[in-house]
Amino acid sequence: MNDRLLRAARGELVDTTPVWIMRQAGRYLPEYRAIREKISFLELCKTPDLAAEVTVQPVARLDVDAAIIFSDILIPVEAMGLHLELGDAGPRFPTPVRSSADIERLGIPDPEERTGFVGDAIRKARRALSDRVPVIGFAGAPFTLAAYMVEGGSSKSFTQIKRLMFERPELAHALLDKLTETVILYLKMQVAAGVRAVQVFDSWGGELSPIDFEAFSLPYLARIVSTLKATGVPVILFGTSMSTLLPQMKRTGADVIGLDWRIHIDEGRRILGPNVAVQGNLDPMALFLPEKELQARVEDILHRAGPTGHIFNLGHGILPSTPPEAARALVDAVHRLGTRAE
C-alpha cells in the first residue's frame, strides 16, 4: 500500500509529500456527473456500489495518495430520526431541533443498522482499489451538525444555534452530547469497515468565539479524538475560518490539523508546535491560475510546511467548475516538488 499519508500523519519521513483533495469525488469530474444524471445525491450516498465507484474515480484520474469515502456529514443525523432533504440549494431539515422534546426524540443510532451502507461502500471501495491507497472516513463535528439541525439548514448568522447555546445551554449540551456519541459510533463503524484514517469536519466551528469554542466544541471534539485514536487510526481535524482557534484545536489531541488558506502554513505550524502534523492549505481558486503560477504556489506551501508532518490539500473543497486537468497538475506538482522540500 502507498502509505505516504499515514506516515505523514504520524510525522514520519516520506519519499514525497502526500496529497489528496477535499471533495475530490465530485461535480468537477465528468465521470461523477454522468452518474449523478441518473440518481439523486442522497440516493448515491446510500447505494454502496455507486458510492464506491465515485470514491475510486479521483484516485484513478488524479493519482492522489488517498481516497475519501463518498458520503455526507448529515447522513448520521438523518439516522438519528431527523428528516433530511438534500437538494441543489443545500441541506434542509424541515422540522428543526429547537426544544427539549425535539432533542429527546433523537436517537443514538446503531451505525450498522441505520448507516450500514457507508460501511458497505468502504469495503467495496477498498476492494476496487486493491488497497493500493488508504481510504479516509469522515464525520461532521458535533457543533457543525447541531448548527444544521437547529438552524434547519445552512445559515449566515447562526442565530438559532447561538440563542440555544446562550439562552438554554443545558439543551445545547444535551444535543451536543447525543451527537458526540453518534459520531463516535459512526466513525468506529467506518474503522471496522477498513478506513485507515478519519477526518472530522468542523465546517462552522469558525463561527464560534474562543470562549464559546472552549465550552461548546472542544470537549466534544476531544472525546471523539481520544476514542478514535484508541482504534489506531490517525485523526484529522479540519475547519474553515478557524486560524484564531488553532491553540484550542491542538488541545483536542488530533494527530493532524487541517488549515484553510487564510493563514500561512508555517505560521500554523508555529502555533501548533512540532508534534502536530498539518494538512493544507492551497486556496481552491488557485487551481484557476496558469500552471506555472500554480506550481509556484505549491512550491511555496511545500517550502513553508517542510518535508515531514505535512499532507498537501486544498484549504477547502475543490470547486465544481475546476478543470480536472488543473487538479491533476496540482497532484503531479506536489509529488514532483515534494521530494525536494526542505
Side-chain angles (χ1 to χ4, degrees):
M1 175 186 282
N2 168 359
D3 66 348
R4 285 181 192 133
L5 180 137
L6 304 177
R7 292 174 64 83
R10 297 191 293 262
E12 298 172 1
L13 289 172
V14 289
D15 60 330
T16 190
T17 304
V19 53
W20 68 281
I21 298 172
M22 285 184 280
R23 294 191 190 141
Q24 64 187 20
R27 287 178 289 168
Y28 75 104
L29 289 179
E31 53 266 46
Y32 171 84
R33 294 196 299 271
I35 290 175
R36 279 283 281 110
E37 285 174 1
K38 305 170 187 175
I39 192 169
S40 73
F41 180 85
L42 198 51
E43 289 174 310
L44 177 53
C45 290
K46 295 180 178 182
T47 307
D49 286 337
L50 293 178
E53 182 178 342
V54 298
T55 296
V56 172
Q57 284 174 349
V59 180
R61 181 184 275 260
L62 305 181
D63 195 31
V64 285
D65 294 300
I68 183 165
I69 193 62
F70 182 83
S71 189
D72 188 87
I73 63 170
L74 297 176
I75 291 292
V77 173
E78 183 188 46
M80 295 175 77
L82 198 61
H83 177 62
L84 169 66
E85 295 177 359
L86 278 175
D88 293 336
R92 193 171 81 90
F93 292 108
T95 54
V97 173
R98 302 273 172 86
S99 69
S100 176
D102 293 337
I103 294 168
E104 287 174 8
R105 277 194 293 269
L106 297 170
I108 298 175
D110 180 310
E112 287 287 359
E113 181 181 319
R114 300 298 306 276
T115 55
F117 49 85
V118 176
D120 290 341
I122 290 165
R123 286 182 281 268
K124 289 176 182 291
R126 287 184 58 205
R127 285 197 294 271
L129 290 164
S130 300
D131 277 339
R132 68 178 182 269
V133 297
V135 177
I136 301 170
F138 72 90
F143 171 76
T144 287
L145 299 179
Y148 277 113
M149 297 164 76
V150 176
E151 297 290 336
S154 298
S155 175
K156 291 183 178 179
S157 60
F158 296 89
T159 304
Q160 297 298 331
I161 183 63
K162 289 190 176 183
R163 284 192 63 178
L164 186 71
M165 288 160 44
F166 298 157
E167 295 177 353
R168 300 292 304 276
E170 74 283 0
L171 292 188
H173 283 297
L175 176 58
L176 292 164
D177 189 66
K178 270 194 173 179
L179 284 166
T180 299
E181 290 305 308
T182 296
V183 167
I184 286 172
L185 293 172
Y186 182 61
L187 287 175
K188 287 176 75 174
M189 179 268 289
Q190 294 182 46
V191 172
V195 300
R196 301 293 299 277
V198 296
Q199 176 158 307
V200 179
F201 285 88
D202 203 358
S203 308
W204 303 123
E207 297 296 325
L208 294 173
S209 70
I211 193 170
D212 293 323
F213 186 87
E214 190 91 18
F216 293 98
S217 189
L218 176 57
Y220 302 104
L221 289 171
R223 271 169 57 189
I224 293 167
V225 170
S226 64
T227 304
L228 267 296
K229 284 178 71 170
T231 69
V233 302
V235 180
I236 306 166
L237 174 60
F238 170 78
T240 55
S241 300
M242 293 180 73
S243 300
T244 57
L245 297 172
L246 290 180
Q248 288 92 338
M249 292 175 76
K250 177 182 178 179
R251 286 170 51 210
T252 66
D255 299 282
V256 185
I257 301 295
L259 305 175
D260 70 11
W261 66 92
R262 297 173 179 90
I263 186 173
H264 282 306
I265 202 163
D266 53 346
E267 175 63 9
R269 297 209 82 159
R270 185 190 66 77
I271 296 169
L272 292 167
N275 298 321
V276 181
V278 292
Q279 179 176 278
N281 66 337
L282 184 72
D283 183 342
M285 284 300 299
L287 290 172
F288 294 91
L289 286 167
E291 188 168 342
K292 188 174 181 181
E293 293 180 42
L294 171 61
Q295 179 175 304
R297 296 281 184 106
V298 169
E299 197 162 15
D300 179 64
I301 289 171
L302 289 169
H303 176 74
R304 290 175 181 274
T308 58
H310 176 217
I311 299 165
F312 201 103
N313 208 315
L314 301 180
H316 202 249
I318 191 168
L319 297 166
S321 54
T322 304
E325 297 76 18
R328 178 61 194 244
L330 167 67
V331 173
D332 289 346
V334 173
H335 285 159
R336 185 175 68 255
L337 298 168
T339 56
R340 297 200 299 271
E342 295 180 356

